Amino acid sequence: MAVCRKVMPCWWLLLLAGVRFARAVDTFGPLVKATEGEVWPRPHSQITYDAYMLINPSNFTFSVKEEETSWLPDYVRRVSLLCQVSNKTCGILEEAVRRYSDSVYRYVPSRGGDLRKTNVGHLDTLSVLVTSSCEEYPYLGMDEEYELKINNVTAVLTSKTVWGALRGLETFSQLLYIDHNKEVRINSTAISDQPRFPHRGLLLDTSRHYMPLSVIREMLDGMEMNKMNVFHWHIVDSQSFPYQSRVFPDLRYVHGAFVVARKSSVGRCRQTLKEPVVYTELRPYDLYINKLCTFLNYLPVMVMSSLVKCLFCVCPVCNDLKFNFKLNVLLCLSEKGAYDPETHIYTHDDIKNITEYARLRGIRVMPEFDTPGHTLSWGPGQPDLLTPCYSFVTGKPDGTYGPINPSLESTYTFIEKLFQEVVALFPDSYLHLGGDEVSFVCWRTNPNVTSFMMENGISNYAGLEQYYMQRVVNITSYLNASSVVWQEVFDNGVTIPDSTVVHVWTGSQAEELSKASARLHLAQSIYRMEHSCLECSKYFSSISFPERCPERAVWVLQVTAAGHRALLSACWYLGRLESGGDWRKFYECEPTQFYGTDEQKQRVMGGEACMWGEVVDESNVVARVWPRASATAEKLWSSAGADTEDGASRRLEEHYCRMRRRGVGAQPPNGPGYCR
């Protein structure tokens, strides 16, 4: 019997698990019943009344206060919103009205025809009032607050800024739903809403697998629907360098000498262009020739081929003027670092297309150029940038390469010129510098790096990484850009400006954390003894504690205690896929769940859901992200504890169908079900 008593609890657990499994498989109808007209993310304040109105999308009109609308397309006038702007017309808002007009039209009832004659009121217009001048580009800390009031007579959206108006328009579109009579309803509602955190982002890796522009735009559409406002573009990594730089290497800088870039050529030029000629200084006409090469590089292939044969191979001017070098078409980093230099690259025009698409949706685009690690794809297009590895046996180079070489001054010249181009191309004021997962193996084997360390009094390789990152941060500051770095940079003691943001992505390296104060020592040791967080309260005052303290909290604690702002991603890695509705594990994450004062918690800017590209490509990445990242979006927008997981599951079921209706290929969040 004693044995039975010990075994029985296990059998009960198995039985309960079986019941839950049976419910997931054998229940009749949807596993989770979707809500109707509920908003995602949940607004900060919402009052919903019993009354409702009907909407006929075909008769929903649009006009701009004191502006002529005859120039608008017919479908916009037919399916539209009434937009009243207190001052001049705002281009971002006009574009949003066109976009949301189309989303309203998607609700055209399948039965067609006019609305049935009832005593229920009909809503014909939405008035949008923006009380301040129209801003052109989204930025950190922009005002996204809005109020939306809908009754049986009018619907009014009020905001101080265009960014708040965008978020309010999204909310309005989500309040619409189709009732049992196949008619479009909207409930009488009063909403007052604003985001909890200013930085609500999604990281997308386009290096491990190249993502077409159409996929990136679909991601941005999903972000707009979830009120996320930062697209973190991890555009390059070790596997490929799809960013097409116009700066490098039109002239490569190698050991103090400039070399003319070389590329495989066509026709008779193939035999004449063998090796680039090295010069110790630039001559005046070199710059003009390189500008000509740049122009030729953008011409159609057949035209360029003929011109190359003429100018570069048989043109007598080249010989008569004794230029003494062989010209060539410019070579970009992406042409040697990309998977395919023609089809798997992002040109400047591509990037401008994406940043504009994001701008119109109130989304910032923050590029990441991760160094000194994660840079193997940089090497083929930029010789001497990476560190040659040496054999422990022979003491000679073994043909492999490690991180960027921090011992060469040419490295920092290259970084400054590349970042100058990047900062000019991307409108956002923040540049993510990476700085994570740097292997020291190659640095240890390279005698030149070792000599550099001895000459500069650097005693260890973490100190060498600190030296490199310090210079890169300084370069970024010199270019009037603000830096974001992965947490290892902070951990290694790099002196970073107060404006630098530390991005927390892991909790597995707590032993290497720098200790900001004795309070941190104590908090960490107590955590490592696996004590309840509440047991720590006797050591601290005016600090709130969760029931358990995840290890990532130690990172956030130390970053904020040192006076830096922090971003959190450690609990929102979308690549960690589990069966079933695994969005719940993301919904459980609380950004301010760490030992800290209110002042420290205010330094948490928000966070990002991260979609790394090792096992996703254009065929599955959208479904892998949505609606799982929607959980992150709500945790960053809505008040803490705004909803339970069960309540959120019903709203997310509706939101998933809503995203699919509007062209975002989201996957089912909960289990068996259907979309109307």
Side-chain angles (χ1 to χ4, degrees):
M1 290 296 291
V3 174
C4 292
R5 291 192 186 98
K6 293 181 180 179
V7 174
M8 281 297 291
C10 299
W11 284 107
W12 278 108
L13 290 175
L14 291 174
L15 179 60
L16 290 173
V19 170
R20 183 174 182 179
F21 177 77
R23 177 176 178 268
V25 174
D26 296 334
T27 53
F28 174 75
L31 178 63
V32 174
K33 184 178 180 181
T35 55
E36 294 182 325
E38 294 287 342
V39 178
W40 192 284
R42 181 180 283 279
H44 274 241
S45 173
Q46 179 176 4
I47 302 175
T48 302
Y49 303 97
D50 293 335
Y52 66 89
M53 288 179 287
L54 300 179
I55 291 178
N56 188 344
S58 299
N59 295 328
F60 211 73
T61 58
F62 172 82
S63 66
V64 177
K65 186 179 181 180
E66 299 180 355
E67 294 286 342
E68 177 60 44
T69 61
S70 58
W71 55 271
L72 291 171
D74 289 340
Y75 87 94
V76 175
R77 294 198 304 273
R78 184 178 70 251
V79 188
S80 55
L81 311 174
L82 171 64
C83 175
Q84 298 174 327
V85 184
S86 62
N87 40 46
K88 67 177 183 179
T89 302
C90 176
I92 295 177
L93 194 55
E94 286 183 351
E95 195 65 35
V97 165
R98 297 189 190 97
R99 195 164 61 249
Y100 283 103
S101 295
D102 185 58
S103 72
V104 171
Y105 190 64
R106 293 173 187 266
Y107 282 92
V108 171
S110 58
R111 68 180 181 85
D114 296 329
L115 296 175
R116 58 192 174 93
K117 295 181 179 180
T118 67
N119 294 327
V120 178
H122 295 167
L123 181 64
D124 298 323
T125 61
L126 171 69
S127 300
V128 181
L129 179 64
V130 178
T131 60
S132 63
S133 59
C134 184
E135 296 172 316
E136 291 299 317
Y137 194 83
Y139 54 91
L140 178 66
M142 58 187 174
D143 187 350
E144 299 172 271
E145 184 177 1
Y146 69 91
E147 289 188 355
L148 179 61
K149 296 181 180 180
I150 302 169
N151 55 38
N152 58 357
V153 178
T154 60
V156 179
L157 169 62
T158 306
S159 175
K160 294 179 182 178
T161 68
V162 64
W163 316 120
L166 292 180
R167 307 306 175 227
L169 285 170
E170 178 59 42
T171 294
F172 176 81
S173 72
Q174 295 185 14
L175 291 170
L176 306 179
Y177 65 97
I178 300 175
D179 65 13
H180 60 280
N181 291 316
K182 303 297 184 181
E183 294 177 329
V184 183
R185 279 192 188 187
I186 188 167
N187 295 326
S188 295
T189 306
I191 293 176
S192 179
D193 200 13
Q194 63 186 40
R196 182 184 177 194
F197 293 100
H199 186 117
R200 308 177 306 283
L202 172 67
L203 178 151
L204 181 64
D205 173 8
T206 62
S207 171
R208 274 61 176 246
H209 282 94
Y210 176 84
M211 301 295 175
L213 297 184
S214 59
V215 171
I216 297 177
R217 286 192 288 265
E218 189 172 346
M219 286 292 186
L220 293 169
D221 290 339
M223 292 179 65
E224 179 183 38
M225 293 189 67
N226 288 273
K227 297 186 175 72
M228 300 178 100
N229 64 358
V230 181
F231 175 54
H232 177 169
W233 195 348
H234 189 87
I235 192 169
V236 299
D237 211 290
S238 282
Q239 287 70 26
S240 74
F241 193 100
Y243 170 73
Q244 190 180 60
S245 171
R246 294 180 181 175
V247 175
F248 288 102
D250 52 352
L251 294 173
R252 290 202 302 263
Y253 189 74
V254 183
H255 295 309
F258 290 92
V259 301
V260 178
R262 184 170 63 87
K263 179 184 178 182
S264 297
S265 48
V266 294
R268 293 164 55 188
C269 299
R270 186 179 299 279
Q271 282 137 24
T272 61
L273 296 175
K274 295 181 179 179
E275 295 296 331
V277 179
V278 178
Y279 296 95
T280 57
E281 62 182 8
L282 286 173
R283 292 158 297 181
Y285 45 79
D286 286 344
L287 296 177
Y288 294 101
I289 290 169
N290 275 276
K291 290 181 179 180
L292 173 62
C293 292
T294 303
F295 170 73
L296 292 176
N297 201 32
Y298 287 95
L299 293 179
V301 174
M302 295 304 297
V303 176
M304 184 174 68
S305 174
S306 300
L307 289 173
V308 167
K309 289 180 181 179
C310 174
L311 295 176
F312 294 173
C313 301
V314 298
C315 178
V317 176
C318 300
N319 295 323
D320 294 345
L321 296 181
K322 302 184 185 302
F323 280 2
N324 283 330
F325 63 90
K326 297 178 176 66
L327 297 177
N328 206 338
V329 180
L330 292 182
L331 174 66
C332 293
L333 274 170
S334 62
E335 294 186 5
K336 286 193 173 182
Y339 288 136
D340 187 299
E342 300 295 332
T343 62
H344 285 58
I345 58 172
Y346 300 109
T347 66
H348 281 212
D349 287 341
D350 292 337
I351 291 170
K352 290 176 182 177
N353 178 293
I354 293 300
T355 55
E356 176 64 10
Y357 195 88
R359 180 186 76 90
L360 294 174
R361 287 153 180 79
I363 299 172
R364 300 161 47 206
V365 180
M366 179 177 67
E368 179 182 354
F369 286 78
D370 192 355
T371 67
H374 294 275
T375 50
L376 291 182
S377 65
W378 301 41
Q382 192 68 16
D384 291 347
L385 179 65
L386 303 183
T387 305
C389 304
Y390 280 65
S391 170
F392 285 104
V393 178
T394 65
K396 296 180 179 180
D398 62 10
T400 63
Y401 294 87
I404 283 179
N405 192 337
S407 66
L408 298 178
E409 192 61 29
S410 59
T411 291
Y412 305 102
T413 302
F414 166 80
I415 291 292
E416 181 175 346
K417 290 183 178 180
L418 177 64
F419 282 7
Q420 188 174 20
E421 177 187 39
V422 170
V423 168
L425 180 60
F426 286 87
D428 197 65
S429 60
Y430 280 84
L431 176 62
H432 204 301
L433 304 179
D436 64 315
E437 298 179 323
V438 181
S439 172
F440 298 154
V441 174
C442 254
W443 287 353
R444 288 193 182 100
T445 66
N446 190 297
N448 298 321
V449 172
T450 303
S451 298
F452 174 83
M453 293 174 64
M454 294 177 63
E455 293 171 1
N456 290 272
I458 301 174
S459 59
N460 56 56
Y461 295 95
L464 181 61
E465 181 188 10
Q466 176 184 349
Y467 172 85
Y468 171 84
M469 288 304 303
Q470 187 67 68
R471 292 200 59 176
V472 172
V473 169
N474 291 344
I475 287 171
T476 308
S477 299
Y478 171 76
L479 296 174
N480 294 320
S482 298
S483 304
V484 182
V485 295
W486 293 113
Q487 66 192 65
E488 289 94 326
V489 176
F490 171 80
D491 178 32
N492 289 337
V494 176
T495 303
I496 52 180
D498 292 339
S499 60
T500 300
V501 180
V502 179
H503 198 162
V504 176
W505 70 277
T506 182
S508 62
Q509 303 178 32
E511 290 294 340
E512 299 181 7
L513 292 174
S514 60
K515 307 303 185 288
S517 66
R519 290 158 63 94
L520 303 186
H521 276 290
L522 184 57
Q524 191 173 8
S525 63
I526 290 173
Y527 167 73
R528 294 210 170 279
M529 290 188 295
E530 298 186 354
H531 281 218
S532 167
C533 298
L534 294 176
E535 293 177 19
C536 307
S537 59
K538 60 184 178 181
Y539 300 104
F540 303 95
S541 60
S542 302
I543 299 178
S544 59
F545 299 89
E547 184 179 351
R548 294 288 292 175
C549 300
E551 198 167 0
R552 64 177 178 269
V554 181
W555 289 89
V556 181
L557 170 64
Q558 297 189 63
V559 169
T560 56
H564 295 292
R565 292 175 296 169
L567 290 175
L568 179 64
S569 285
C571 50
W572 291 319
Y573 265 44
L574 302 175
R576 299 166 184 168
L577 183 65
E578 299 175 10
S579 61
D582 71 340
W583 62 270
R584 292 173 180 266
K585 66 183 180 184
F586 305 129
Y587 201 78
E588 292 172 355
C589 180
E590 170 52 48
T592 59
Q593 183 179 329
F594 64 92
Y595 311 97
T597 63
D598 291 340
E599 183 180 0
Q600 285 178 256
K601 293 183 178 183
Q602 289 175 1
R603 296 190 186 117
V604 179
M605 296 166 48
E608 296 178 356
C610 297
M611 186 68 259
W612 299 102
E614 288 88 349
V615 295
V616 292
D617 62 8
E618 60 185 291
S619 68
N620 66 341
V621 66
V622 175
R624 185 67 59 88
V625 170
W626 305 113
R628 298 163 77 231
S630 299
T632 304
E634 177 148 303
K635 300 301 289 188
L636 293 173
W637 177 279
S638 306
S639 302
D643 201 355
T644 63
E645 287 185 24
D646 289 340
S649 66
R650 293 192 60 207
R651 288 188 297 111
L652 191 58
E653 190 75 17
E654 179 186 11
H655 192 51
Y656 142 73
C657 293
R658 184 186 295 134
M659 283 192 283
R660 293 193 64 85
R661 185 186 300 115
R662 284 168 55 178
V664 177
Q667 69 177 15
N670 296 305
Y674 76 106
C675 293
R676 288 187 178 183

